[in-house]
Amino acid sequence: MIAILSGSARKNSNTMRVAKAIKNTILERSPNESIHIVDFNGYDIPCINQGEMNPNDLSPWQSELFNTMHEADLIFILTPEYNWFPSAEIIQMLHTFGDRPYASAWEDKLFVTCGVSNGRGGRMPAVQLGYSINKIISVFNFESVVSAKIFESQFTQKVIDENGHSLGNEEYDKGIRAFVSYNLNLSIRLKK
């Protein structure tokens, strides 16, 4: 299974547009692929000063996130860019789920990062996510990989619609296809 984490808590966000575009691109190549998008619009992970999450008593949204990551071999993690940083929700998710009780969400996976912008941007949060995920993998000695191939979704609302369909920007379409293809191929290679 392939997981796509849409890391914006905003309803109908640009990040969700990109999540749908990635799903559509995967399905063009592999129409029978099982793909699940987790929309962070339902996000309910408590901040660090609000107490810890109980791994044995997760909310429905927390369970969806954990179970999706647990079942997936390939996980796309998307974040909007806020002042050159990933979203607070993605950062808190990494902090909370990057722990032993959630090990199966991180073990034997390929992680892929994408930054989303409504203008020029997206690179820095995608790179920062890669650093953070690599740190989790390293500290816990998980046998997982973070892909070097990131994607910067720029001027997102001008290039894809709310259903993730292209609005005809050939450069963007070429870029997202290359991004998805590279990571699907890498995922297949790592499974051998």
Side-chain angles (χ1 to χ4, degrees):
M1 183 180 84
I2 297 173
I4 304 172
L5 310 185
S6 178
S8 173
R10 292 182 179 168
K11 189 171 182 157
N12 302 317
S13 67
N14 282 336
T15 307
M16 182 53 88
R17 287 180 184 222
V18 178
K20 291 175 182 177
I22 290 170
K23 180 177 180 178
N24 294 342
T25 305
I26 293 167
L27 291 174
E28 285 175 10
R29 175 174 156 164
S30 304
N32 297 321
E33 189 68 59
S34 175
I35 305 166
H36 185 80
I37 297 175
V38 178
D39 186 351
F40 274 50
N41 180 245
Y43 177 91
D44 62 359
I45 297 172
C47 289
I48 189 72
N49 64 343
Q50 296 173 323
E52 293 186 17
M53 218 167 60
N54 180 349
N56 299 312
D57 188 26
L58 299 176
S59 73
W61 186 85
Q62 294 162 4
S63 293
E64 176 190 7
L65 174 63
F66 174 72
N67 292 332
T68 300
M69 291 179 72
H70 167 78
E71 293 172 18
D73 298 316
L74 171 56
I75 301 175
F76 288 85
I77 302 182
L78 286 58
T79 181
E81 180 175 301
Y82 293 129
N83 297 319
W84 305 283
F85 287 97
S87 70
E89 291 82 7
I90 283 288
I91 296 299
Q92 185 62 28
M93 182 277 291
L94 294 176
H95 171 77
T96 303
F97 274 82
D99 200 1
R100 284 270 174 229
Y102 310 101
S104 66
W106 303 98
E107 182 66 57
D108 197 28
K109 315 283 181 199
L110 171 60
F111 293 95
V112 181
T113 64
C114 172
V116 179
S117 179
N118 64 357
R120 292 202 188 280
R123 178 183 306 254
M124 286 312 298
V127 169
Q128 290 163 345
L129 280 178
Y131 292 155
S132 299
I133 296 165
N134 268 317
K135 184 68 174 178
I136 292 168
I137 291 168
S138 175
V139 166
F140 292 103
N141 205 30
F142 295 137
E143 292 188 5
S144 292
V145 173
V146 177
S147 174
K149 183 76 165 174
I150 65 171
F151 187 65
E152 306 160 42
S153 181
Q154 300 183 358
F155 300 101
T156 302
Q157 71 285 1
K158 295 179 180 178
V159 293
I160 51 177
D161 70 16
E162 60 277 353
N163 295 309
H165 298 296
S166 172
L167 295 175
N169 183 302
E170 290 180 30
E171 196 67 29
Y172 185 91
D173 296 345
K174 180 180 173 186
I176 198 166
R177 279 193 202 102
F179 168 69
V180 168
S181 181
Y182 177 96
N183 287 300
L184 288 175
N185 290 341
L186 181 58
S187 178
I188 291 166
R189 207 167 166 191
L190 291 173
K191 288 180 192 176
K192 291 182 181 179

